[in-house]
Amino acid sequence: MKSPERIPAVAGRFYPASPRELEREMEQLFSRVGPKECKNVRAVISPHAGYVFSGTVAASAFNQVDGGKKYERIFVIGSSHHVTLKGAAVYTRGNFLMPFGTVKTDIEFCKKLVLAHPGLFKEDDRAHRDEHSLEVQLPFLHHVLRHKYVIVPIVIGTSDPSVCEKIAKVLSPYFNADNLFVISSDFSHYPGYEDALTVDEATKNAILQNDPGVLLQTLANNSRLAIPGLVTSLCGWTSVLTLLYITTGNSSYTFKAIDYKNSGDAPLYADKTGVVGYWAIAVTGQSEVSGDEMTPEERSILMEIAGKSIESMVLAGKKLSLGQPSEYSSALHEHRGAFVTLYKGKKLRGCIGRMFSDIPLYQLVRDMAVAAAL
């Protein structure tokens, strides 16, 4: 009788099968990434190739996740490489066995998805048995997260955008600060190195616009270019499209590109004639915590911006120049609401703000300070 647990399909091939070697690999990969750039991360788009090719890009994606946060569920979503389905497959037979131990599946939640949405979500072991796109994300989760967690493994088997939209509608209520979404996808497959740079940049830019229609049009445009060797410009396009159907139209979500490489950059396998591209992208939401979690320096910067903004407009008649975006911390780049209140002595002279924002916080404080004064 087969074990109900899901057995690793690519351990020893895509990543080390030895727990000690896998942990050493994780430490090496994370030692090569840049500093954390994002807060309030709701989702990451991470590649799923062998770690020798895409490991540092995947580590860059997971480096944006708050490892100290206790998530209710981790939704791990990938597009099927082996089977075709009319919807998506969830794993309900057991947990995921990995070299480092057992990753618990929220079996009860997965079964509820199937019962509540028959035909859209299925219990299909075939879709998960040999699928690597979800499996290769799990060592990164294990390395980053410091609290216990459960996963909701979803393999999307459809190629119908309208079905992806229906899946997104079901999952949208869970796209909040309590959960994390991991979207598994590589980018271009098998063009030459320079062509991959061009195609992957176009696809990345489409994703950053947070518009499903733009992504679909861009993928179609890439295909029409008839680039030699290009089989697909986004192998997990249905998974990324599902994410965009969840987030589109909500200005509180920001997509940020973190890191890029393709297989031609791998030091020991520098074949540039037919490469695969990899992007790390993070999706952040507005902060749901008070400004008290900002550092004293960040609060001081906002106060200084407010004061100088009023001074510049009143005395010089022009908007304050805020310098380069790189001068400001990730917290000050968040798209979050802010109010500026002005007093003269104890007398209220003005108070204006926004509950939500489509511009970074430091810019919003500048604009609201001027509005409150004038």
Side-chain angles (χ1 to χ4, degrees), residues 169-311:
K169 187 175 182 180
V170 173
L171 298 179
S172 289
Y174 306 101
F175 195 82
N176 54 47
D178 295 327
N179 302 306
L180 176 69
F181 278 60
V182 176
I183 308 300
S184 182
S185 183
D186 295 339
F187 277 64
S188 62
H189 279 53
Y190 316 129
Y193 187 92
E194 296 300 327
D195 284 335
L197 297 180
T198 300
V199 171
D200 292 339
E201 180 73 9
T203 305
K204 177 264 295 183
N205 289 339
I207 294 171
L208 297 188
Q209 291 190 48
N210 190 17
D211 186 324
V214 171
L215 177 60
L216 289 171
Q217 186 60 56
T218 300
L219 297 181
N221 291 344
N222 290 345
S223 180
R224 280 195 290 268
L225 292 174
I227 294 173
L230 182 66
V231 175
T232 177
S233 48
L234 189 65
C235 70
W237 69 271
T238 54
S239 297
V240 176
L241 183 67
T242 298
L243 173 66
L244 295 187
Y245 277 128
I246 293 174
T247 57
T248 189
N250 190 329
S251 61
S252 68
Y253 298 131
T254 301
F255 283 67
K256 182 174 179 60
I258 304 297
D259 191 18
Y260 173 81
K261 286 182 176 59
N262 66 49
S263 58
D265 297 314
L268 299 179
Y269 300 88
D271 179 4
K272 300 182 184 295
T273 59
V275 304
V276 178
Y278 318 110
W279 266 107
I281 297 174
V283 183
T284 63
Q286 282 192 331
S287 174
E288 297 181 0
V289 297
S290 71
D292 291 340
E293 286 202 8
M294 287 187 179
T295 66
E297 181 182 7
E298 288 166 341
R299 293 196 294 271
S300 177
I301 289 172
L302 292 180
M303 289 292 289
E304 183 178 7
I305 288 174
K308 287 186 175 180
S309 297
I310 296 171
E311 183 179 275

Side-chain angles (χ1 to χ4, degrees), residues 35-41 64 252 254 256 284-302 305 325-338 357 359-365:
K36 179 178 171 65
E37 300 180 41
C38 301
K39 292 183 178 180
N40 308 312
V41 171
Q64 309 309 312
S252 68
T254 301
K256 182 174 179 60
T284 63
Q286 282 192 331
S287 174
E288 297 181 0
V289 297
S290 71
D292 291 340
E293 286 202 8
M294 287 187 179
T295 66
E297 181 182 7
E298 288 166 341
R299 293 196 294 271
S300 177
I301 289 172
L302 292 180
I305 288 174
S326 59
E327 297 175 18
Y328 299 94
S329 69
S330 59
L332 301 186
H333 276 275
E334 292 179 11
H335 288 208
R336 54 194 290 185
S357 176
I359 57 177
L361 178 60
Y362 70 94
Q363 295 179 11
L364 180 64
V365 167

